[in-house]
């Protein structure tokens, strides 16, 4: 697939200074290619008028920019302390066994990749799993296995707090590039833990 | 009367709470209208009078921060909202933005007016696709409704996975298109921030608290909270409790009170240790249940209110395992700019790994404390200091448990017992 330079210019136009667009442009490259390709780095360097080494330096600093293809469904298991203790460690090791891949690995069919991730700001829903950076809350070994099995069969379950259907890694990357996919109104406004304090206060507690 | 005071969270239980229709239905965008008709200095004064303090961790008075922006300097000014939310345990800003992104948009309009900025940037961490969608749609809808685009613009910027970009000067470098590494201060962002222009950096919750203050007045806000910690705030309860979640309450509520509301520590177990405000704030134990959770109360007890991320761990949790995991996080997230943090966190992890798997020695504990001594206060930014918090506080309260790993030659805990799926009673 090819990069749309006109679209890239609209991303640049969001900012007072063009260099600020480097991060959304890298997300955009991932939305086209599934990872940060050399061609992507060269194109960004060309249109921003900076060295490729400078673009690479930025791309390698941030963990979400991948220098090799990830799966169509990129799965992250939170193994920061709270989620790890609550079951994240067990989930992560079960998924490695189940998929036969290691951390940062991709299944042979290219469908699922796996990584352990840091706290994803959802600790009241621990243990947390993310797929294409959508929330899968309160996971167990079994639910996480059905998530990856569904993903491999092209039929993943919907996120807990996200759109009605799990988008692909490339589609999610376009959202992270700031592009509108029209799905903002889908899904819950909040899960039960988010609403707990409000509910109790309405009960006079 | 309820101990809780839902203001930010008041309408989150309506299925369409994130839409502009719902926000407007509940009086949304009346505060910005009111503020835009006020003199900017009067808005700053009102926020000063309310006593609102930063909710991103440090608790700096918000109105005072706005007041540092030079006036009449003929330069562009910027507002930058910190929505990087990555401090372990912290989980308030993302659910807030998922449920009601418009309150942040309105807060940005008011803050921009106050500091004479024509543009705000909202920097959201990259690992939350649906939050990005909601925020983007809210900004677009606010433009369509004419709330934005008439002298105030908002640009959404989405990160790509780096805890350090929550540190305000690293965030600015990241937003300028560089690797996110902290800057030397001074100059402070108020003088030379984004693109070397006067810049206010505020947390999501801080800015989102402003519309209600404009509508209800400083006195109303002052009526909640304690002497120096005014207002209400989101406390995020997670971990080994029967009912985790968000609790919006006046500053100064205690963990005991929140736990009572939440149905307590998970049934059949007891509280062992907890963080008052994320992993960078020194740990507390069951001896701290009655500490008022305000800026002063928590500091007086030797920790920090931080982000009010109350992570609860019961007696099944190995303290060494917990601390090692946090330390691995700091090592991974260290930006590498300064030696004490870059090298220090690496050594901390090596020693803690030995201790956890039972091959450590008593002397290792001294080494850990020595290393912490050399990192604390000698690091370029607060990430390094934060890395030492779980270690020094856990050795203070759980020295014997570290020693038990040494004498046992192994970890005495069964990790299965700590999991959610192990059930309430083992
Ligand atoms: C390593 C590190 C990470 C931080 N992460 C965040 C964050 O995710 N969100 C945030 O608002 N503040 C974070 N802060 C604090 C910011 O530097 C800054 O104090 C804050 O955004 C100011 O906003 P406030 O005055 O409204 O609290 C972090 C600080 C450090 C040292
Ligand atoms: S303390 Fe750590 S994160 Fe902060 S500047 Fe130094 S190396 Fe970077
Ligand atoms: S520790 Fe997993 S989401 Fe916070």
């Amino acid at each position: 697939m090819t990069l749309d330079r006109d679209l890239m210019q609209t991303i640049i136009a969001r900012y007072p200074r063009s260099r600020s667009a480097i991060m959304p442009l890298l997300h955009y490259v991932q939305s086209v290619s599934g990872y940060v390709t050399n061609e992507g780095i060269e194109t960004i360097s060309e249109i921003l008028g900076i060295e490729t080494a400078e673009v690479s330096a930025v791309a390698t600093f941030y963990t979400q920019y991948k220098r090799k293809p990830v799966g169509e469904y990129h799965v992250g298991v939170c193994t920061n302390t709270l989620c790890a203790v609550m079951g994240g460690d067990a989930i992560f090791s079960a998924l490695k066994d189940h998929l036969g891949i290691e951390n940062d690995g991709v299944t042979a069919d290219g469908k699922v990749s796996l990584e352990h991730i840091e706290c994803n700001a959802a600790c009241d829903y621990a243990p947390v799993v993310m797929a294409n950076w959508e929330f899968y809350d309160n996971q167990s070994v079994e639910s996480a296995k059905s998530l990856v099995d569904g993903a491999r069969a092209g039929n993943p379950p919907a996120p807990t707090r996200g759109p009605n259907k799990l988008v692909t890694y490339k589609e999610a990357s376009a959202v992270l590039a700031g592009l509108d996919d029209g799905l903002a109104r889908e899904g819950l406004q909040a899960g039960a833990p988010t609403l707990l304090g409000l509910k109790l206060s309405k009960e006079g507690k | 009367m309820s101990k809780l005071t839902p203001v930010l969270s008041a309408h989150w239980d309506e299925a369409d709470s994130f839409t502009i229709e719902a926000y407007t239905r509940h009086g949304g965008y009346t505060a910005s209208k009111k503020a835009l008709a006020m003199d900017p200095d009067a808005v700053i004064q009102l926020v000063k009078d309310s006593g609102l303090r930063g909710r991103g961790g440090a608790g700096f008075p918000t109105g005072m921060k706005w007041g540092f922006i030079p006036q009449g300097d003929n330069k562009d000014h910027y507002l930058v909202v910190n929505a990087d939310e990555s401090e372990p345990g912290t989980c308030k800003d993302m659910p807030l933005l998922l449920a009601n992104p418009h309150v942040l948009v309105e807060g940005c309009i008011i803050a921009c007016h106050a500091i004479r900025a024509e543009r705000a940037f909202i920097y959201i961490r990259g690992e939350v696709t649906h939050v990005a969608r909601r925020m983007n749609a809210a900004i677009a809808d606010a433009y369509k409704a004419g709330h934005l685009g008439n002298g105030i613009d908002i640009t959404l910027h989405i990160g790509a996975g780096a805890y350090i970009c929550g540190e305000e000067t690293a965030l600015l470098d990241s937003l300028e298109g560089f690797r996110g590494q902290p800057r030397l201060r001074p100059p402070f962002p108020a003088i030379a921030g984004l693109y070397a222009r006067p810049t206010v950096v505020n947390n999501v919750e801080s800015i989102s608290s402003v519309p209600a203050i404009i509508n209800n007045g400083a006195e109303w806000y002052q009526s909640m909270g304690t002497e120096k910690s005014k207002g209400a705030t989101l406390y995020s309860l997670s971990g080994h409790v029967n009912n985790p979640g968000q609790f919006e309450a006046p500053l100064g509520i205690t963990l005991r009170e929140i736990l009572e509301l939440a149905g307590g520590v998970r049934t059949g177990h007891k509280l062992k240790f907890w963080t008052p405000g994320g992993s960078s704030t020194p740990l507390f134990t069951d001896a701290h249940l009655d500490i008022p959770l305000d800026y002063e109360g928590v500091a007086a007890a030797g920790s920090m209110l931080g982000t009010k991320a109350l992570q609860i761990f019961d007696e099944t949790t190995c303290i060494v395992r917990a601390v090692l995991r946090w330390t691995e996080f700091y090592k991974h997230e260290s930006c590498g700019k300064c030696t004490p943090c870059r090298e220090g966190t690496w050594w901390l992890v090596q020693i803690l790994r030995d201790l956890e798997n039972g091959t450590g020695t008593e002397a290792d504990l001294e080494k850990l404390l020595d290393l912490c001594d050399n990192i604390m206060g000698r690091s370029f930014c607060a990430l390094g200091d934060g890395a030492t918090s779980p270690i020094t506080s856990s050795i203070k309260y759980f020295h014997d448990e570290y020693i038990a790993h040494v004498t046992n030659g192994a970890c005495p805990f069964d990790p299965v017992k700590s999991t959610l799926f192990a059930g309430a009673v083992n």
Side-chain angles (χ1 to χ4, degrees):
Chain A
M1 262 192 272
T2 50
L3 297 166
D4 177 346
R5 287 179 183 237
D6 291 339
L7 182 62
M8 293 172 88
Q9 289 299 339
T10 66
I11 292 174
I12 293 171
R14 293 177 196 157
Y15 296 93
R17 299 195 188 176
S18 60
R19 184 168 176 142
S20 284
I22 194 164
M23 292 180 72
L25 288 175
L26 285 163
H27 282 305
Y28 171 68
V29 167
Q30 300 208 117
S31 80
V32 173
S33 308
Y35 68 108
V36 176
T37 56
N38 288 337
E39 186 209 344
I41 289 191
E42 279 156 24
T43 310
I44 293 174
S45 108
E46 211 180 292
I47 62 179
L48 291 180
I50 57 178
E51 297 296 319
T52 51
E54 290 188 71
V55 182
S56 292
V58 172
T60 51
F61 185 81
Y62 300 92
T63 52
Q64 277 180 282
Y65 299 131
K66 306 297 181 191
R67 288 312 314 270
K68 56 185 203 306
V70 293
E72 192 174 333
Y73 299 99
H74 182 64
V75 175
V77 181
C78 176
T79 57
N80 202 295
T81 302
L82 189 118
C83 278
V85 164
M86 300 284 289
D89 277 357
I91 293 171
F92 185 61
S93 84
L95 287 188
K96 281 195 292 191
D97 285 350
H98 187 67
L99 295 169
I101 54 178
E102 286 303 309
N103 184 39
D104 283 334
V106 191
T107 54
D109 58 8
K111 287 284 182 194
V112 175
S113 48
L114 185 67
E115 99 181 289
H116 64 77
I117 60 171
E118 298 301 352
C119 174
N120 220 88
C123 323
D124 47 347
Y125 295 89
V128 173
V129 171
M130 305 298 291
N132 297 338
W133 307 114
E134 307 278 13
F135 292 110
Y136 287 81
D137 300 324
N138 291 126
Q139 291 297 291
S140 62
V141 168
E142 292 71 36
S143 65
K145 279 187 191 166
S146 19
L147 166 60
V148 298
D149 288 347
R152 295 188 80 178
N155 184 27
T160 330
R161 289 176 294 148
N164 300 336
K165 184 174 168 291
L166 177 60
V167 301
T168 65
Y169 183 77
K170 289 181 185 173
E171 287 164 346
S173 298
V175 175
L176 302 183
L179 304 174
D180 180 13
D181 66 358
L183 301 180
R185 284 186 178 240
E186 290 191 6
L188 287 183
Q189 86 287 9
T194 303
L195 299 175
L196 182 59
L198 177 60
K199 179 169 162 274
L200 292 170
S201 96
K202 287 190 166 176
E203 290 167 3
K205 286 180 191 141
Chain B
M1 221 184 75
S2 174
K3 282 183 176 140
L4 299 166
T5 47
V7 178
L8 285 168
S9 57
H11 306 294
W12 290 356
D13 55 353
E14 294 172 20
D16 65 345
S17 67
F18 55 86
T19 63
I20 194 163
E21 297 84 20
Y23 189 59
T24 315
R25 187 162 75 227
H26 294 294
Y29 293 107
T30 53
S32 52
K33 206 169 165 192
K34 191 168 160 188
L36 290 174
M38 288 165 68
D39 179 62
D41 288 334
V43 177
I44 295 180
Q45 192 58 47
L46 181 62
V47 174
K48 276 186 189 165
D49 292 343
S50 75
L52 175 65
R53 294 169 66 173
R55 304 295 191 227
F60 193 84
T62 304
M64 196 189 290
K65 188 183 272 190
W66 293 5
F68 289 156
I69 296 293
Q71 301 302 337
D73 56 349
N74 287 322
K75 281 188 187 161
D76 291 332
H77 299 170
Y78 294 109
L79 171 69
V80 176
V81 176
N82 191 340
D84 195 56
E85 188 158 73
S86 307
E87 164 81 6
T90 309
C91 50
K92 63 189 179 70
D93 297 335
M94 295 307 111
L96 186 160
L97 295 180
L98 209 53
N100 185 7
H102 282 283
V103 72
L104 178 63
V105 173
E106 186 172 26
C108 286
I109 295 171
I110 299 167
C112 280
H113 175 64
I115 65 165
R116 285 95 164 162
E118 290 174 2
R119 191 192 280 261
F121 291 87
I122 299 174
Y123 188 117
I124 300 195
R125 67 179 298 180
E127 303 98 324
V128 285
T129 315
H130 209 47
V131 178
R133 277 191 197 95
R134 289 262 163 95
M135 195 70 240
N136 214 356
I139 294 169
D141 287 345
Y143 270 103
K144 275 185 221 144
H147 301 305
L148 293 174
N150 298 318
I152 294 171
D153 289 291
I154 295 181
T155 302
L156 176 61
H157 185 87
I158 297 159
Y163 167 58
I164 190 59
C165 289
E167 195 283 332
E168 58 184 20
T169 61
L171 186 154
L172 294 174
D173 262 34
S174 176
L175 190 47
E176 289 184 6
F178 296 90
R179 297 162 75 95
Q181 290 188 316
R183 298 177 179 174
L184 194 65
R185 282 175 297 191
F188 288 91
I191 305 303
L194 185 65
Y195 310 128
R197 297 291 184 268
T199 302
V200 163
V201 184
N202 269 137
N203 172 259
V204 170
E205 190 191 346
S206 314
I207 294 293
S208 301
S209 299
V210 172
I213 292 173
I214 298 289
N215 269 337
N216 302 323
E219 255 177 57
W220 162 78
Y221 204 69
Q222 287 258 3
S223 72
M224 297 182 284
T226 55
E227 196 193 335
K228 289 185 180 150
S229 301
K230 297 296 182 192
T233 191
L234 289 163
Y235 293 93
S236 311
L237 186 72
S238 63
H240 289 135
V241 293
N242 281 325
N243 300 298
Q246 305 298 320
F247 296 81
E248 197 173 357
L251 282 148
I253 195 169
T254 65
L255 181 65
R256 188 185 300 282
E257 292 171 304
I258 295 178
L259 279 176
E260 268 167 25
L261 289 164
V265 171
R266 67 176 174 154
T267 308
H269 295 278
K270 53 183 200 300
L271 175 62
K272 180 173 173 181
F273 62 93
W274 55 291
T275 65
S279 61
S280 304
T281 61
L283 296 169
F284 277 164
T285 67
D286 60 355
H288 302 95
L289 276 164
D290 297 307
I291 302 285
L293 295 175
D294 62 7
Y295 298 100
E296 294 71 33
V298 178
S303 188
M304 287 173 288
L305 185 62
T307 57
K308 305 148 286 130
L310 313 168
Q311 304 177 89
I312 309 297
F313 298 89
D314 70 19
E315 87 291 347
T316 63
T317 317
C318 170
I319 188 74
V320 187
R321 176 184 177 209
V323 171
L324 166 61
R325 194 58 61 87
W326 279 319
T327 309
E328 286 172 333
F329 165 79
Y330 290 107
K331 170 185 164 262
H332 181 249
E333 299 298 328
S334 167
C335 81
K337 182 165 180 149
C338 68
T339 316
C341 170
R342 185 185 62 240
E343 306 290 325
T345 52
W346 189 87
W347 283 108
L348 291 173
V349 166
Q350 305 310 309
I351 298 171
L352 279 164
R353 273 189 192 150
D354 287 348
L355 281 165
E356 207 229 347
N357 66 30
T359 56
T361 64
E362 233 181 296
D364 283 340
L365 285 186
E366 285 312 308
K367 249 191 260 170
L368 277 180
L369 290 173
D370 262 2
L371 276 165
C372 287
D373 225 33
N374 280 303
I375 297 171
M376 183 78 190
R378 288 188 170 83
S379 299
F380 194 81
C381 85
L383 185 146
D385 296 345
T388 69
S389 289
I391 297 173
T392 47
S393 59
S394 64
I395 294 178
K396 178 167 149 198
Y397 298 121
F398 299 102
H399 187 265
D400 290 354
E401 197 171 312
Y402 278 93
I403 297 299
H405 282 73
V406 174
T407 44
N408 267 7
C411 175
F413 286 84
D414 173 4
V416 175
K417 291 199 169 133
S418 307
T419 62
L420 185 67
F421 20 93
V425 185
N426 295 298

